[in-house]
Amino acid sequence: MPKADIAAAALRTVLPADCLLWREEDRRPYECDALTAFRRLPALVALPRTEEQVRQVLRTCSRLGIPVVARGAGTGLSGGSTPHEEGVLLSCARLNRILTIDPLERIARVEPGVPNLKVSEAAAAHGLYYAPDPSSQVACSIGGNVAENSGGVHCLKYGLTVHNVLGVRGYTIDGELLELGGRALDGPGLDLLALAIGSEGLLMVTTEVTVKLLPRPPCAQLVMASFADVHSAGNAVAAVIAAGIIPAALEMMDRKATAAVEPFAHAGYDLDAAAILLVEADGTSEEVGDQIAEIETVLRRAGASTLKVSGSEAERLRWWSGRKNAFPAAGRLSPDYYCMDGTIPRKHVGEVLDAISRMESRYGLRCMNVFHAGDGNLHPLILFDANDQDSWERAERFGTEILELCVELGGTITGEHGVGLEKLNPMCVQFSPAERAAFAAVKEAFDPKGLLNPGKLIPTLARCAEYGRMRVHRGALPHAELPRF
Ligand SMILES: Cc1cc2nc3c(=O)[nH]c(=O)nc-3n(C[C@H](O)[C@H](O)[C@H](O)COP(=O)(O)OP(=O)(O)OC[C@H]3O[C@@H](n4cnc5c(N)ncnc54)[C@H](O)[C@@H]3O)c2cc1C
């Protein structure tokens, strides 16, 4: 009997009939995440409703040696929840209950399938909210956020997911319960909670998350500053932080990004500027007033040609709406876009944007930049056509060259979107063989059979050796005279 049929028969004994999909047309919607260039049809899709059903699915698959890939909302941008063709895609979408909101302890316990924004909506009655705010927050799940250690525009001041989660509960592939962290700020022993956050579904399947809730700031104001060149805008970002100011958000958009967004968001952006910065202050009205004045002084000194301060909440939200819709706006310019995610030390922002513009000519593809400048977290959006294989291959090489430049300048190959399938090759550049072996040893300690989300995040030695031989550095292929097979 084929392995998928054996798995289906075994899973039918632990799941209700409506929790298992096996027909091709039912499995098709799960073939990719938001990085749609990578597609694989899973052998089966499990849609458990309870934690006990998750445990049973994992135990069953472990016993039969069947790979399992956990999935939240499928908004990931690195192929983290791309299925395994011979495996079970374990959707956590139905585990979507908010279990408790405790306004006294300022925490919420939620199931992993709860969309990020729902936590803040549920906490709003108590004047509280959950700070990490990915632009995908209306859809992406807390389980996915934990697995990717997701960020957002306000993470400069309030931290990433890892700084806002107190505990996770979940199961290993063998169905063993893991409870990491708790309700307190720190716990005894090794910090396995921090290890689990950002582990991209390779170590455990999360079934419950305890998050911190913060009091909603009473007041917020946004400064919009225009710059005549991207260098001055990049230097202004570094100057704000160097002045000891930690804004609630510090975002940058280049002219291509503002031009793409403005026609449908009508945000009011300066389309003549080479780049704009959006800098937010929040707190009491006195704190906001003081910080806005400081931000204006620093930005003016750094060469801002125009400065505007939001005069009302409606105006502040309108200016944000353009930034929040920048990714979809790329879809107006091109059939497809490839969103990169690397970090660099802030002082290199201008230099990297110049390098990206040279790469645009070399690869014959356009690229718009809209990113978390305060964190030095770049999001170049490379515009390409997925129906044209050559265009996709150029986009991939373009993206890899950007990430390798980030590493060269002391940055990283991912700021918040994770490695998944997409960044396996750049992992070979970022980490030494000894470091990659340490990652593999950690994976083996949790999952000795390598069944949980296999083939993601940690490249094999053989892959890195092959990539080293094939690596195109600054457009030059090593030993270009040799034939490639
Ligand atoms: C338009 C757009 C804007 C975005 N903006 C941002 C942004 O501002 N900041 C940011 O950080 N990201 C952003 N993202 C990326 C994405 O939304 C995040 O990575 C998000 O955390 C993914 O959540 P998800 O529920 O969709 O997870 P999925 O894509 O379903 O899965 C992501 C990873 O999590 C694992 N996983 C999911 N659930 C579980 C679980 N219960 N247990 C164990 N592992 C699990 C999967 O195996 C996979 O490895 C954006 C994406 C889009 C499409």
Side-chain angles (χ1 to χ4, degrees):
M1 211 197 306
K3 228 172 170 182
D5 293 348
I6 298 173
L11 289 176
R12 274 190 202 106
T13 66
V14 298
L15 287 176
D18 67 341
C19 290
L20 193 64
L21 307 178
W22 69 93
R23 288 193 201 95
E24 185 184 329
E25 63 270 28
D26 293 334
R27 288 178 285 136
R28 190 59 72 188
Y30 297 90
E31 68 182 352
C32 63
D33 63 6
L35 180 59
T36 53
F38 297 162
R39 289 168 195 260
R40 292 178 192 156
L41 197 59
L44 292 166
V45 177
L47 290 150
R49 284 200 179 84
T50 65
E51 186 181 82
E52 176 56 17
Q53 288 170 354
V54 171
R55 188 177 77 90
Q56 294 288 355
V57 170
L58 291 168
R59 274 166 61 100
T60 306
C61 290
S62 172
R63 181 168 53 80
L64 296 172
I66 290 172
V68 178
V69 177
R71 177 181 166 110
T75 67
L77 286 164
S78 56
S81 58
T82 309
H84 191 289
E85 291 100 337
E86 289 164 15
V88 171
L89 194 281
L90 174 56
S91 166
C92 297
R94 286 176 172 171
L95 295 163
N96 59 1
R97 282 161 290 229
I98 293 180
L99 302 170
T100 51
I101 300 267
D102 185 335
L104 290 180
E105 273 198 85
R106 288 191 184 159
I107 59 168
R109 279 173 51 239
V110 303
E111 289 188 330
V114 173
N116 171 299
L117 190 60
K118 288 273 177 219
V119 182
S120 291
E121 285 174 358
H126 307 284
L128 301 172
Y129 78 115
Y130 175 58
D133 56 345
S135 303
S136 52
Q137 69 182 147
V138 65
C140 68
S141 73
I142 291 292
N145 291 175
V146 168
E148 299 289 5
N149 189 19
S150 297
V153 297
H154 290 97
C155 289
L156 174 62
K157 179 168 176 182
Y158 295 104
L160 299 162
T161 301
V162 69
H163 306 111
N164 289 277
V165 165
L166 291 171
V168 298
R169 179 183 157 95
Y171 291 88
T172 65
I173 184 74
D174 294 326
E176 185 194 337
L177 176 64
L178 291 178
E179 288 183 287
L180 310 177
R183 287 168 164 240
L185 276 180
D186 193 13
L190 294 177
D191 191 354
L192 296 180
L193 175 63
L195 176 65
I197 297 175
S199 61
E200 302 194 18
L202 266 74
L203 306 183
M204 63 189 284
V205 174
T206 304
T207 51
E208 190 182 308
V209 184
T210 304
V211 301
K212 277 190 222 169
L213 299 174
L214 301 182
R216 194 165 277 287
C219 174
Q221 253 185 319
L222 189 56
V223 178
M224 180 160 64
S226 307
F227 289 84
D229 62 278
V230 289
H231 259 284
S232 325
N235 292 341
V237 171
V240 169
I241 304 294
I245 305 168
I246 302 293
L250 174 38
E251 299 283 304
M252 179 161 162
M253 295 171 79
D254 70 7
R255 186 186 277 131
K256 273 169 277 180
T258 51
V261 159
E262 191 58 27
F264 83 97
H266 305 295
Y269 293 157
D270 175 357
L271 298 180
D272 293 327
I276 62 162
L277 294 183
L278 294 169
V279 194
E280 184 157 282
D282 68 7
T284 61
S285 57
E286 293 78 13
E287 285 166 342
V288 171
D290 289 351
Q291 200 176 64
I292 291 284
E294 281 182 77
I295 291 169
E296 283 187 286
T297 307
V298 175
L299 293 179
R300 246 188 218 109
R301 239 187 258 140
S305 51
T306 316
L307 275 180
K308 286 185 185 171
V309 180
S310 59
S312 65
E313 188 59 5
E315 188 167 44
R316 184 180 78 89
L317 295 177
R318 187 158 55 79
W319 291 355
W320 272 131
S321 73
R323 165 61 186 94
K324 296 247 174 189
N325 285 302
F327 287 15
R332 292 166 58 91
L333 299 184
S334 162
D336 301 277
Y337 68 87
Y338 183 26
C339 174
M340 304 311 299
D341 166 48
T343 71
I344 49 165
R346 282 178 285 261
K347 63 182 177 192
H348 293 304
V349 167
E351 180 186 343
V352 172
L353 293 182
D354 283 346
I356 291 176
S357 126
R358 287 193 296 275
M359 291 179 212
E360 285 185 278
S361 327
R362 196 143 33 79
Y363 290 102
L365 295 171
R366 285 176 300 161
C367 179
M368 55 189 250
N369 291 287
V370 41
F371 59 99
H372 308 312
D375 302 316
N377 185 186
L378 304 173
H379 285 328
L381 298 175
I382 303 172
L383 309 181
F384 75 104
D385 179 356
N387 290 320
D388 170 359
Q389 182 61 19
D390 174 59
S391 153
W392 164 236
E393 282 168 14
R394 278 182 286 133
E396 256 194 315
R397 289 205 304 276
F398 189 163
T400 303
E401 193 172 333
I402 295 173
L403 296 184
E404 292 185 358
L405 177 61
C406 293
V407 176
E408 233 172 270
L409 295 172
T412 62
I413 58 161
T414 169
E416 54 183 19
H417 295 170
V419 173
L421 275 179
E422 181 210 13
K423 300 193 194 87
L424 286 169
N425 288 341
M427 283 289 280
C428 305
V429 178
Q430 175 100 67
F431 293 104
S432 68
E435 287 167 321
R436 295 192 308 265
F439 296 157
V442 171
K443 163 75 172 159
E444 205 184 334
F446 281 78
D447 176 17
K449 289 184 264 182
L451 291 174
L452 216 42
N453 215 1
K456 314 272 176 71
L457 178 62
I458 309 167
T460 59
L461 272 176
R463 182 185 184 113
C464 289
E466 180 63 16
Y467 182 60
R469 278 196 289 276
M470 296 298 295
R471 185 173 162 212
V472 179
H473 185 59
R474 298 270 163 95
L477 186 69
H479 304 293
E481 72 286 2
L482 298 177
R484 255 71 187 181
F485 300 103

